Amino acid sequence: MFDGFFNGKKIFLTGDTGFKGGWLALWLKKMGAQVGAFALPPHTSPSLYQLADVGSAVTRLGGDIRNREEITSAIAGFAPDIVIHMAAQALVRPSYKAPLETFDTNVMGTANLLDAVRKTDKVKAVVIVTSDKCYENREWVWGYRENDPMGGHDPYSASKGCAELVTASFIRSYFKNSGTAVASVRAGNVIGGGDFAEDRLIPDMVRSFTRGEPVCIRSPQATRPWQHVLEPLSGYLLLARRLLEKGQDFGGGWNFGPADESTRTVGEVVTTFGEKWGEEASSRPDTHTHPHEPTLLRLDCSKANLLLDWKPKSDFSTALDWTIAWYKAWSTGADCAALTLNQIEAFENL
């Protein structure tokens, strides 16, 4: 897909022990990049990191993005061409239980990374990964554009809005006229094999269905933009290339979401996923009271479509098919590294 562009490039990647970060680390290694990885140990067991042996694809450089000295030393020592920042506290409901940890990780962690970048002249491109929940959610039917206000009701969403403001401030203050180009990226609800997080719809369904139990559904009417994990990752990589080639002309915020037909309710996802999974799939409503989460969320990706020539390569049904295929193969003892790399190759060939 990228004409060998990443072959030999030095890329500093935070969050490779997470779901999206693990997929990206394996993809970068497949393309011949030298990946310097910075992340805490996986938060789940099992994890994609362990199952697909992501550690063998990277050089481990450290750990905690809240530790300013550690990340400054790691970036200076590795001297990367590109930095991709994915490490985060990535869940809404846990952010209600641990708001200070969420803000410390997502806001100060981002500030620590950008401060480390500004202290070296080696880095030429930086991609900061935030979330579609960074926008001030007004429950309107059209997609949010990159110039809509940042916001967030819950601590997670607010922390991602804050991370966007931090990134914009560093761009204006330090990178606008430097040799380092910086952008931020916001994706939809990402699905795919290897996600084992709590309080995420697909992993919750997989856990329930493999036990032969009905999955408990909190908000069946909540509407989200669903996409396979490789879709936004392809956008991040394309943007990183443009930043390296064209500089800050491609800086600022970017949305990477699915086509409109992939914006579905939780109830629709549960029904379709269950039909594809098989007869052991069932669901039941959750009658408990839960903290606030937005009901309606869409992204407008016109900017990426027009300026990067980026468009989704797969549709909603394909995303579910690939996700189910991954988990079904994993449950029968398949080689998860080969399984993941095979899906990456299939995506490249779409």
Side-chain angles (χ1 to χ4, degrees), residues 73-191:
S73 175
I75 289 178
F78 188 63
D81 306 299
I82 298 168
V83 171
I84 302 177
H85 176 45
M86 303 184 77
Q89 192 299 95
L91 298 167
V92 172
R93 290 216 297 167
S95 78
Y96 280 106
K97 299 176 182 176
L100 296 186
E101 178 183 346
T102 299
F103 281 107
D104 196 14
T105 301
N106 294 351
V107 184
M108 287 310 302
T110 301
N112 289 338
L113 178 133
L114 288 168
D115 192 56
V117 169
R118 80 177 180 90
K119 293 175 180 177
T120 176
D121 58 0
K122 299 294 185 181
V123 179
K124 301 305 179 186
V126 181
V127 176
I128 303 293
V129 180
T130 63
S131 169
D132 57 355
K133 296 177 180 65
C134 68
Y135 294 107
E136 181 64 31
N137 193 298
R138 305 185 189 281
E139 302 285 355
W140 53 35
V141 295
W142 50 87
Y144 293 94
R145 295 179 179 178
E146 288 85 351
N147 57 356
D148 281 322
M150 298 293 104
H153 181 286
D154 57 89
Y156 168 76
S157 301
S159 74
K160 288 300 190 176
C162 289
E164 287 284 352
L165 296 177
V166 167
T167 302
S169 173
F170 268 81
I171 290 173
R172 294 186 185 114
S173 300
Y174 305 110
F175 299 123
K176 191 171 184 180
N177 298 310
S178 76
T180 303
V182 180
S184 63
V185 293
R186 307 128 190 196
N189 274 42
V190 174
I191 65 174

Side-chain angles (χ1 to χ4, degrees), residues 43-56:
H43 290 290
T44 65
S45 182
S47 67
L48 178 67
Y49 183 82
Q50 170 254 320
L51 292 172
D53 194 21
V54 176
S56 67

Side-chain angles (χ1 to χ4, degrees), residues 17 31 43 62 68 74 106 127 150 199 204 227 231 256 341:
T17 57
M31 293 189 290
H43 290 290
R68 187 182 314 159
N106 294 351
V127 176
M150 298 293 104
D199 285 324
D204 284 350
Q227 58 190 149
E231 295 288 6
F256 293 100
L341 289 168

Side-chain angles (χ1 to χ4, degrees), residues 176-293:
K176 191 171 184 180
N177 298 310
S178 76
T180 303
V182 180
S184 63
V185 293
R186 307 128 190 196
N189 274 42
V190 174
I191 65 174
D195 187 1
F196 294 95
E198 298 289 338
D199 285 324
R200 280 199 185 129
L201 182 60
I202 299 298
D204 284 350
M205 285 195 287
V206 170
R207 278 187 286 268
S208 295
F209 298 165
T210 54
R211 294 193 297 257
E213 300 172 356
V215 64
C216 188
I217 302 301
R218 292 195 308 272
S219 305
Q221 298 307 312
T223 303
R224 298 288 186 270
W226 306 92
Q227 58 190 149
H228 190 270
V229 60
L230 292 172
E231 295 288 6
L233 294 184
S234 70
Y236 304 169
L237 291 172
L238 180 57
L239 178 60
R241 176 176 181 170
R242 292 290 178 265
L243 290 169
L244 206 60
E245 293 174 333
K246 303 293 185 180
Q248 198 55 43
D249 288 347
F250 284 83
W254 297 81
N255 289 340
F256 293 100
D260 287 343
E261 69 89 24
S262 293
T263 300
R264 306 290 183 94
T265 67
V266 168
E268 288 177 295
V269 175
V270 172
T271 298
T272 307
F273 193 93
E275 290 171 349
K276 290 174 177 289
W277 182 274
E279 61 183 16
E280 60 268 42
S282 62
S283 63
R284 62 180 176 85
D286 186 341
T287 58
H288 295 89
T289 301
H290 296 286
H292 173 272
E293 293 188 58

